[in-house]
Amino acid sequence: MSRMLRASAIMAAGTMVSRVTGFVRTMVLAYAIGTKALGDSYNAAYAIPYSILDLLLLGVLSSVVVPMIVRAQQHDADGGRAYEQRLLTLSGVALIVVAVVAVFGAPLLIDLYTDWAPGSPKFEVAVTLARFILPQLAFFGVGAVAGAILNTRDRYGAPMWAPVVNNLVVICVFLAYAMVGGERDNIEQISTGDMALLGLGTTAGIVAQAVILIVALKRVGFVFVPRFDVRNARLGEMARAGVWTIGYVIVTQLGFMLTTNLASAAGDVVEGHGISPYTLAFQLFQLPYGVIGVSVITAMLPRMSRAVGEGRFHDVRSEFGSSVRLICSLMVPVSLLLMVLGPAITVPIYGHGANSVADAVFIGNVLQVYGLALVPFALFQLLLRVFYSFGDTRTPVFIGAATTAANAALMLVFNALLPARYLVMGLALAYAIAYALGAVGAWLLASRRVRGLGGWTIGMALTRMYLAALPTAVVALAAVWVVTGVFAGLGFVNSLIVLAVGGGLGLLLYLGVAHRMRIPEVNSIVGMVAGRVGR
C-alpha cells in the first residue's frame, strides 16, 4: 500500500498540476471562442486525432504494449532495449503516414463525426481546423510510446508532467487569439490566419509535450537507434494480442461518433447546447479519474502483469482490491460533490468572454449528470486492467461492445424522448447507466478469472465511504440553497462562495468523518499529507 501510495502520489501531483493548467486552458478556450458555432467546430476537429490515436495506439498501449515491454525487459538479453527502439521507430513511421492520410481525409472525418451539412460554415471551419490539428498525431503517438517505456522503468514523473507544458503552450495561443480583438467567436468572420493560429497552436503544444518525454527517456539512459528489423519487432504477437483491443476501441469509437452526431444536431437546434458543452463537461468529469484513477492504474498494471506472469493470483487480487479502495476513497465524495455543485464549478471556469453565465450553468448541469458515472467508470477501467494483466484483450472487447451497445440504445431513446435543450444531459445519463451495467458485467467475468475479487470486502469498504460522504453532500447542498437564495442566482463570486463552503469544507468534513470511521485508505492519505506538512 505504501509503495502504491508513493508512486501514485508522484503521478497525482503531476496530473493535478496538469489538470489545473487544463482548467485554465479550457477557461481561456471558452473565453476566446465560446461554446456556440465556432466552439463546436473547434471541439469537433480537436476530438478527431484523439479518436484516431485511441483506435491505433492508446488502447493497445495499455493492454498490449506495456505487458510486452515488461516481458522484453525480463527475458531479452539486453533488457529489452532493442525491442523498445524498434517499437519507437515503427510507431513513429506508422503515425507519420497516418497523419498525412488524415490531413487529406479531413472532410470525410468531419462528416463522420458530425451531423453538419458539407459546405455549411461549421463544417468548413471544422475541416480547416482539423487539417492544422491532425499533424499532431505523429508527435502524440511517439510521446505516448516514450511514456510507456518510462512507466515500465518505474519513472512516472515525466509522463504526468509533460502535459503541463502542452497546456501552457495552448493557453498562450488562445490568449493571443483573444487579444487580437474583434468578434473572434463569430464563425462567419473567422479568417484562415485565425484558424491557423488556433490549429497550429494546438499542435505546437503536443510537439512540446513529445519533446519533454523524449528528453526524459534520454535522461534515464535510453539511447534511440532507429531499427527497421520488423522480423524482431514481434508484430505478429502484438497483432494477435492487439486485434481484440483494436476491436474494443472501434466499438467505443462508434459510440463516440453517435454521441458527437447527436450532440451536433442538438447544437443546431439550440445554440450553445451542442458538442462544446458535452466536451467541456466530459473533461471536468474526467478530472478526478485522471488525477486519482490514472495514477493508480498506471502504477498497478505493470505489477499485476508481473504477478500474473509468476502465477501469484493472490497478489493480483490484493493489488486490485487495494487499487479500488484507494481510488474510491476519494472518488466517492467527489462524485457526490459533482452532482450537487456542477454549475458552481463551471460558472467561474466558463462564464466569461464569449460565454455567458447561462452557457456555463448548462455545462454545469451536464456535469451534475456525469457525477453519477464517476465511480462506475473508474471501476470499469480497473476491471479491464485485470484482463489486460493476463494478456487477455478479447474479453474486454465483448464487455466494451455490450457497454457501448447499451449506451447507444439509451442515447437513441433519450434523443427520441427529450427536447433538444436537454439532449446533451440525456447523453451524459446514458453514459452513466451504461458504465454501471458494464462494471457489473466486467466484475462477474474478472472474478471468475482470478477466482474471486474480494467482493464482500470491497463492497463493505465502499458502503462505509458513502456513509462518510453523506454529510459532505448535505453541507454542499445547504451551501447551494443558502447562497442562491440570498444572492438570487449563481454569479462568479456566488459560485466561489458555494465552492469554498460546499466543496472545501465538505471535503474536510469527509476526511474527518472517514478518519474517525477508520477507513484505512483515507487514514493513509491523511497520514502521508500530515507527515509531509510536518517536515
Side-chain angles (χ1 to χ4, degrees):
M1 174 67 73
S2 61
R3 184 174 63 177
M4 180 186 294
L5 275 172
R6 284 195 298 270
S8 300
I10 293 171
M11 292 183 286
T15 307
M16 177 65 77
V17 177
S18 173
R19 298 296 174 158
V20 169
T21 54
F23 269 144
V24 179
R25 172 179 173 153
T26 54
M27 287 174 66
V28 176
L29 169 65
Y31 178 85
I33 63 176
T35 57
K36 298 182 175 64
L38 180 56
D40 278 0
S41 292
Y42 176 85
N43 282 304
Y46 181 74
I48 289 174
Y50 289 90
S51 299
I52 295 174
L53 281 167
D54 273 342
L55 186 62
L56 296 179
L57 182 64
L58 297 184
V60 178
L61 199 68
S62 62
S63 62
V64 179
V65 174
V66 169
M68 288 188 68
I69 292 175
V70 170
R71 285 197 293 272
Q73 291 172 346
Q74 291 174 332
H75 302 298
D76 289 4
D78 64 350
R81 285 179 178 266
Y83 180 73
E84 293 166 349
Q85 291 166 349
R86 292 186 197 101
L87 187 63
L88 201 56
T89 301
L90 295 176
S91 61
V93 171
L95 286 166
I96 288 172
V97 173
V98 170
V100 172
V101 173
V103 167
F104 283 102
L108 176 60
L109 292 171
I110 294 297
D111 193 39
L112 284 173
Y113 280 86
T114 69
D115 191 54
W116 301 325
S120 66
K122 280 187 177 181
F123 183 89
E124 295 303 323
V125 169
V127 168
T128 303
L129 287 170
R131 284 179 168 149
F132 288 126
I133 292 173
L134 283 165
Q136 70 179 239
L137 279 167
F139 297 98
F140 201 123
V142 170
V145 174
I149 295 172
L150 287 167
N151 286 337
T152 61
R153 295 166 186 249
D154 293 328
R155 300 299 179 94
Y156 303 109
M160 294 299 170
W161 286 90
V164 175
V165 178
N166 174 18
N167 287 333
L168 293 175
V169 170
V170 177
I171 287 167
C172 292
V173 168
F174 276 98
L175 283 174
Y177 180 85
M179 291 171 63
V180 170
E183 293 185 78
R184 294 294 169 175
D185 62 319
N186 190 338
I187 199 169
E188 303 288 347
Q189 297 185 7
I190 191 170
S191 67
T192 303
D194 294 331
M195 289 185 281
L197 176 60
L198 293 174
L200 293 178
T202 302
T203 297
I206 295 298
V207 173
Q209 178 174 314
V211 169
I212 295 294
L213 291 167
I214 292 170
V215 169
L217 262 186
K218 294 186 70 174
R219 292 187 64 181
V220 299
F222 180 87
V223 178
F224 176 64
V225 177
R227 292 179 180 269
F228 296 93
D229 46 340
V230 178
R231 284 188 176 183
N232 297 319
R234 302 172 189 169
L235 294 181
E237 181 183 351
M238 187 180 296
R240 286 190 296 273
V243 65
W244 289 106
T245 300
I246 293 293
Y248 168 70
V249 177
I250 288 174
V251 167
T252 56
Q253 286 306 312
L254 288 173
F256 180 68
M257 287 170 58
L258 177 61
T259 301
T260 54
N261 273 272
L262 293 175
S264 63
D268 286 340
V269 177
V270 183
E271 194 175 40
H273 285 222
I275 293 177
S276 292
Y278 181 89
T279 301
L280 296 178
F282 186 81
Q283 289 174 354
L284 289 176
F285 153 72
Q286 287 279 296
L287 171 64
Y289 172 74
V291 172
I292 305 163
V294 170
S295 302
V296 174
I297 286 173
T298 304
M300 174 191 78
L301 183 58
R303 290 200 292 269
M304 284 184 64
S305 298
R306 294 187 187 103
V308 169
E310 297 168 5
R312 294 182 284 110
F313 282 11
H314 174 75
D315 288 344
V316 174
R317 290 191 291 272
S318 176
E319 192 79 35
F320 174 79
S322 297
S323 299
V324 170
R325 293 190 299 273
L326 181 58
I327 289 175
C328 289
S329 66
L330 294 177
M331 288 285 198
V332 166
V334 170
S335 68
L336 295 179
L337 288 176
L338 289 182
M339 285 186 272
V340 176
L341 301 178
I345 295 170
T346 55
V347 167
I349 300 173
Y350 301 127
H352 312 280
N355 244 21
S356 67
V357 171
D359 293 330
V361 167
F362 179 70
I363 299 170
N365 295 146
V366 180
L367 180 61
Q368 286 178 300
V369 182
Y370 264 128
L372 293 167
L374 191 57
V375 173
F377 178 80
L379 286 173
F380 183 87
Q381 297 300 326
L382 279 166
L383 287 161
L384 291 190
R385 269 59 183 185
V386 174
F387 297 106
Y388 293 152
S389 67
F390 279 84
D392 177 8
T393 55
R394 178 180 176 181
T395 304
V397 175
F398 295 107
I399 296 171
T403 302
T404 301
N407 189 23
L410 289 166
M411 285 193 293
L412 291 173
V413 169
F414 292 144
N415 182 58
L417 297 178
L418 295 175
R421 65 182 180 275
Y422 296 125
L423 177 58
V424 173
M425 295 172 64
L427 298 179
L429 180 59
Y431 187 94
I433 296 172
Y435 272 93
L437 296 174
V440 171
W443 182 285
L444 295 175
L445 294 175
S447 180
R448 185 181 305 173
R449 176 65 57 89
V450 296
R451 303 165 196 163
L453 286 174
W456 176 259
T457 302
I458 292 174
M460 291 300 296
L462 288 177
T463 301
R464 296 179 71 205
M465 291 171 192
Y466 274 106
L467 289 174
L470 282 178
T472 296
V474 172
V475 168
L477 191 59
V480 172
W481 282 344
V482 171
V483 172
T484 55
V486 172
F487 298 105
L490 279 176
F492 180 81
V493 175
N494 301 349
S495 297
L496 292 180
I497 295 172
V498 170
L499 289 178
V501 177
L505 291 182
L507 279 176
L508 289 175
L509 178 62
Y510 168 75
L511 292 175
V513 173
H515 184 66
R516 293 297 298 271
M517 291 178 66
R518 293 185 173 86
I519 296 175
E521 292 71 26
V522 174
N523 286 342
S524 298
I525 294 169
V526 172
M528 182 176 65
V529 173
R532 289 180 181 272
V533 172
R535 288 196 298 270

